[in-house]
């Protein structure tokens, strides 16, 4: 991937969607034998009504579709039509409780309010509606349409709200993907660093290596600039999401295709056979790399076309996402621990501010981070910024906005840059991988801590809140214990600026190669 495009391509990769609402399930059953059944997402207010936790001894009610009315007046429906039925009407023109009072007075047993926009928590002033005891729930209008297609006009429904599972095994898959990507990205960065060091000793190899090198080094100033651009980009996405989302999707396709090519080309380069070459414009290229490029472009195009196909597109997105993270961790070099601390610290503040502080600033009281991650204003397109794994445990969240367990690319890339620096420092100082292994284990511990808090709080967490302290503190303790904190903080003085300067640190801090 082009080095200049990497920082811009990762600006959106710092999101972790969160979810919160009283979510339940509408269980629909047809009249056939055996009856066809299907579940749909609903949103309800648990302070207004208590739903059963299971379908045991459930009472089904016939559903009357009245989506042609908003039910703000009892004159809108014929007398007796709602008697002992569940009714569904459209939202708008009056409050939920006003609709419920009318439906209850007409003998309805349940009120469903269909919404064409994204479902949000039900809130209303119930002080003047204490007499309303009718169960009320919001449902997507598209689900009502689907219900008609599946069941026709004869359908029976009931409501329930199963408890959230304490743990979903999809988290294990997320954990393995994240730790594997961070560990492999750091290791790959170390391999590239070792090749750089070997090239220093050979002028011929040095020239070849420089031509291949596409690394970007972040200084403290560029780190601060990068974080500022991240903030601006997130705010722009909040206000102009419906246009920028397609720009981000396009950039992701390009960046992930190039990243997948770089990852697979590194593996193919180790295969000693099948190296047939062709010459074009005085340049030679391996035929197998041409086919590899076609394959990577095709993979990105297939994902772009079928990105909303939940049954299998998530697999392709995860493969492209892992390749993107690996290539980014390998290509972007942190020169010292000081730059790592600045980057991780600022991005931690970025995460906390846009998740927890912005609800006090926005008009609707919503977090900017959450809104952008979920698609503001009911936008169906989602940013391709996460590793996605389908939830394995059945719950209301599976049917509602979050049928996948998610981890943002930023929660892999940002700590991964520190792991990569630790691996390069091990190579430069011949430290037997102590920094790399310690930081990778710290990342794994931080992920486990994130999942524990997620299970306890029953809502999404900004993972950097736990990953940053775990990795930074562990790396600092290792450097302090080995009495290498000063060297670790300032970084190795291995910086090749021209062909006459090739310093390399030894274990004792003295240069092993000197100026010519």
């Amino acid at each position: 991937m082009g080095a200049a495009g990497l920082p811009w391509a990762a600006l959106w990769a710092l999101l972790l969607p969160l979810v919160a609402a009283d979510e339940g399930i509408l269980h629909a059953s047809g009249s056939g034998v055996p009856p066809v059944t299907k579940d749909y997402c609903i949103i309800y207010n648990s302070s207004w009504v208590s739903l059963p936790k299971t379908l045991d001894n459930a009472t089904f009610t016939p559903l009357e579709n009245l989506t042609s009315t908003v039910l703000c007046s009892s004159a809108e429906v014929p007398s007796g039509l709602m008697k002992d039925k569940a009714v569904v009407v459209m939202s708008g023109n009056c409050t939920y409780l006003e609709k419920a009072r009318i439906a209850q007075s007409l003998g309805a047993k349940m009120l469903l309010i269909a919404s064409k926009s994204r479902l949000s928590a039900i809130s209303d002033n119930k002080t003047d509606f204490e007499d309303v005891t009718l169960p009320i729930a919001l449902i997507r209008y598209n689900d009502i349409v689907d219900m008609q297609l599946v069941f026709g006009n004869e359908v029976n429904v009931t409501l329930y709200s199963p408890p959230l599972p304490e743990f979903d095994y999809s988290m294990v898959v997320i954990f393995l993907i994240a730790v594997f990507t961070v560990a492999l990205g750091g290791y790959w960065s170390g391999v590239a660093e070792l090749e750089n060091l070997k090239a220093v000793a050979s002028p011929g190899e040095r020239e070849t290596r420089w031509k291949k090198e596409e690394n970007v080094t972040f200084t403290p100033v560029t780190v601060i600039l990068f974080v500022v651009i991240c903030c601006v980009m997130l705010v722009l996405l909040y206000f102009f999401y419906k246009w920028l989302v397609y720009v981000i999707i396009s950039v992701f396709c390009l960046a992930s295709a190039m990243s997948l090519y770089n990852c697979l080309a590194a593996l193919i380069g180790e295969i000693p056979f099948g190296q047939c070459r062709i010459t074009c414009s005085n340049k030679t290229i391996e035929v197998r790399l041409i086919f590899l490029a076609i394959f990577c472009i095709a993979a990105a195009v297939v994902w772009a076309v079928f990105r909303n196909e939940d049954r299998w597109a998530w697999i392709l997105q995860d493969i492209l996402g892992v390749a993107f993270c690996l290539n980014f961790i390998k290509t972007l070099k942190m020169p010292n621990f000081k730059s790592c601390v600045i980057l991780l610290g600022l991005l931690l503040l970025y995460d906390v501010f846009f998740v927890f502080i912005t609800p006090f600033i926005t008009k609707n009281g919503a977090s900017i981070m959450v809104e952008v991650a979920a698609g503001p204003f009911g936008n169906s397109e989602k940013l391709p910024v996460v590793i996605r794994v389908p939830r394995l445990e059945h719950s209301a969240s599976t049917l509602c906005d979050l049928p996948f367990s998610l981890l943002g690319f930023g929660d892999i890339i940002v700590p991964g840059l520190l792991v990569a620096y630790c691996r390069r420092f091990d190579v430069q100082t011949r430290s037997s991988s102590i920094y790399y292994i310690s930081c990778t284990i710290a990342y794994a511990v931080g992920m486990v801590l994130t999942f524990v808090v997620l299970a306890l709080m029953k809502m999404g967490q900004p993972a950097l809140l736990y990953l940053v302290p775990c990795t930074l503190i562990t790396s600092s303790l290792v450097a302090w214990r080995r009495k290498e904190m000063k060297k670790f903080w300032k970084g190795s003085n291995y910086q090749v600026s021209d062909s006459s300067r090739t310093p390399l640190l030894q274990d004792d801090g003295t240069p092993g190669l000197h100026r010519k």
Side-chain angles (χ1 to χ4, degrees):
M1 180 178 183
L6 271 171
W8 195 93
L11 291 180
W12 69 88
L14 302 170
L15 307 173
L16 180 63
L18 312 176
V19 65
D22 285 326
E23 298 168 335
I25 295 175
L26 181 143
H27 184 75
S29 176
S31 57
V33 180
V36 177
T37 62
K38 191 170 182 179
D39 290 340
Y40 297 93
C41 167
I42 60 165
I43 301 296
Y44 72 103
N45 190 322
S46 57
S47 64
W48 294 357
V49 61
S50 178
L51 297 183
K53 297 184 181 299
T54 68
L55 282 174
D56 296 340
N57 302 318
T59 301
F60 285 84
T61 307
L63 179 66
E64 185 70 35
N65 189 341
L66 296 177
T67 49
S68 59
T69 179
V70 292
L71 196 62
C72 289
S73 169
S74 58
E76 294 183 35
V77 295
S79 176
L81 186 61
M82 293 187 180
K83 184 66 174 177
D84 295 328
K85 293 181 180 178
V87 295
V88 54
V89 300
M90 293 302 298
S91 61
N93 294 5
C94 56
T95 67
Y96 301 137
L97 289 172
E98 287 173 340
K99 296 176 190 289
R101 174 175 280 171
I102 295 171
Q104 182 173 294
S105 68
L106 294 175
K109 294 296 185 183
M110 180 193 307
L111 176 64
L112 302 175
I113 302 173
S115 174
K116 292 185 177 181
S117 60
R118 187 158 57 93
L119 300 182
S120 57
I122 296 180
S123 61
D124 211 339
N125 185 2
K126 204 170 188 302
T127 305
D128 298 329
F129 295 88
E130 296 295 340
D131 58 315
V132 176
T133 58
L134 189 72
I136 309 168
L138 285 180
I139 188 169
R140 300 185 186 100
Y141 176 75
N142 289 340
D143 286 345
I144 298 299
V145 174
D146 179 78
M147 209 179 301
Q148 280 193 310
L149 294 174
V150 174
F151 302 102
N153 293 324
E154 295 185 8
V155 55
N156 297 305
V157 299
T158 189
L159 304 180
Y160 74 109
S161 181
L164 287 173
E166 293 295 329
F167 180 77
D168 193 289
Y169 287 98
S170 61
M171 293 294 186
V172 176
V173 180
I174 288 281
F175 172 82
L176 294 175
I177 291 175
V179 175
F180 166 80
T181 305
V182 166
L184 184 58
Y187 179 80
W188 191 11
S189 182
V191 170
E193 184 71 11
L194 185 59
E195 291 176 355
N196 286 340
L197 298 182
K198 290 180 179 178
V200 167
S202 172
E205 279 190 40
R206 189 188 314 157
E207 294 296 329
T208 303
R209 187 70 188 164
W210 285 350
K211 290 179 181 179
K212 292 182 179 179
E213 197 68 29
E214 286 191 336
N215 288 336
V216 176
T217 301
F218 261 20
T219 63
V221 175
T222 53
V223 165
I224 295 173
L225 180 61
F226 175 77
V227 176
V228 171
I229 296 174
C230 283
C231 296
V232 173
M233 189 67 183
L234 185 61
V235 173
L236 288 176
L237 278 168
Y238 179 72
F239 288 105
F240 306 105
Y241 185 91
K242 66 179 180 180
W243 297 289
L244 289 180
V245 65
Y246 295 105
V247 176
I248 298 300
I249 289 172
S250 301
V251 173
F252 174 74
C253 289
L254 178 63
S256 61
M258 298 177 74
S259 297
L260 184 62
Y261 173 84
N262 288 342
C263 293
L264 296 180
L267 294 177
I268 289 177
E270 300 298 320
I271 300 175
F273 50 84
Q275 298 178 344
C276 177
R277 293 175 175 269
I278 60 173
T279 303
C280 181
S281 301
N282 298 323
K283 294 183 179 180
T284 62
I285 184 171
E286 293 184 17
V287 175
R288 61 184 181 178
L289 293 183
I290 296 177
F291 286 106
L292 177 62
I294 294 173
F295 168 78
C296 294
I297 293 172
V301 170
V302 169
W303 174 83
V305 173
F306 298 100
R307 62 185 180 276
N308 294 319
E309 175 56 67
D310 285 341
R311 287 175 296 178
W312 57 269
W314 63 272
I315 300 175
L316 194 53
Q317 179 173 323
D318 287 355
I319 292 172
L320 293 172
V322 166
F324 174 80
C325 294
L326 285 173
N327 192 58
F328 196 91
I329 292 171
K330 181 259 179 182
T331 303
L332 186 61
K333 297 177 65 174
M334 306 304 294
N336 48 48
F337 187 57
K338 175 183 177 181
S339 296
C340 293
V341 170
I342 295 173
L343 177 65
L344 272 67
L346 288 179
L347 288 179
L348 172 59
L349 294 176
Y350 160 93
D351 237 16
V352 170
F353 176 79
F354 282 104
V355 172
F356 297 119
I357 306 301
T358 53
F360 298 100
I361 302 173
T362 55
K363 290 183 179 180
N364 61 354
S367 160
I368 289 181
M369 183 79 81
V370 175
E371 285 290 298
V372 171
F377 316 117
N379 199 300
S380 60
E381 287 288 357
K382 298 294 187 291
L383 294 174
V385 299
V386 292
I387 299 296
R388 303 194 303 162
V389 176
R391 289 181 177 270
L392 303 177
E393 298 289 340
H394 182 66
S395 69
S397 292
T398 308
L399 296 172
C400 295
D401 292 333
L402 200 61
F404 293 87
S405 293
L406 308 174
L407 183 70
F409 289 170
D411 300 322
I412 297 175
I413 291 173
V414 175
L417 293 174
L418 174 57
V419 173
Y421 170 70
C422 289
R423 179 57 186 155
R424 290 196 306 275
F425 188 80
D426 281 328
V427 170
Q428 293 162 8
T429 60
R430 304 179 180 92
S431 302
S432 303
S433 301
I434 182 65
Y435 287 93
Y436 166 68
I437 293 174
S438 300
C439 197
T440 302
I441 293 174
Y443 176 81
V445 171
M447 285 297 300
V448 171
L449 182 59
T450 302
F451 293 150
V452 169
V453 177
L454 176 68
L456 294 176
M457 297 186 66
K458 306 296 185 185
M459 63 177 293
Q461 298 294 311
L464 290 182
L465 188 60
Y466 312 99
L467 296 174
V468 168
C470 285
T471 51
L472 286 181
I473 292 174
T474 300
S475 302
S476 301
L477 288 176
V478 172
W480 174 77
R481 183 68 178 81
R482 293 173 59 85
K483 297 180 172 58
E484 294 176 334
M485 191 61 197
K486 184 176 181 180
K487 188 194 304 183
F488 188 61
W489 178 259
K490 294 184 176 180
S492 168
N493 66 346
Y494 170 68
Q495 298 288 339
V496 181
S497 58
D498 58 57
S499 59
S500 65
R501 300 179 64 185
T502 56
L504 169 63
L505 281 182
Q506 301 289 348
D507 285 337
D508 58 0
T510 60
L513 296 174
H514 303 277
R515 287 188 183 183
K516 293 180 180 179

